[in-house]
């Protein structure tokens, strides 16, 4: 079973890496198959890979469930 966590994109570097904010910590992950990622978008992260864009509302709901 895999757990995905929501994170906000702070920066896109080198075209295939993202700097994300996860629990107020910056982390670098691989952009994966998300072709239209932009700064301030929310994504689901699994391990070191961004797997899907989500809305800010969805990110908040998931974060609340994980708490």
């Amino acid at each position: 079973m895999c757990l995905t966590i929501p994170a906000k994109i702070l920066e896109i570097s080198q075209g295939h890496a993202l700097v994300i904010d996860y629990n107020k910590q910056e982390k670098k992950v691989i952009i994966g198959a998300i072709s239209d990622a932009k700064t301030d978008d929310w994504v689901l992260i699994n391990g070191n890979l961004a797997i899907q864009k989500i809305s800010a509302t969805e990110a908040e709901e998931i974060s609340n469930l994980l708490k």
Side-chain angles (χ1 to χ4, degrees), residues 18-46:
L18 300 175
V19 177
I20 59 163
D21 174 10
Y22 171 65
N23 285 338
K24 299 185 183 357
Q25 295 180 352
E26 289 187 12
K27 180 179 178 182
K28 191 175 256 189
V29 298
I30 300 167
I31 197 168
I34 305 171
S35 61
D36 59 343
K38 300 181 298 286
T39 302
D40 293 328
D41 281 347
W42 285 88
V43 292
L44 289 175
I45 304 295
N46 184 343

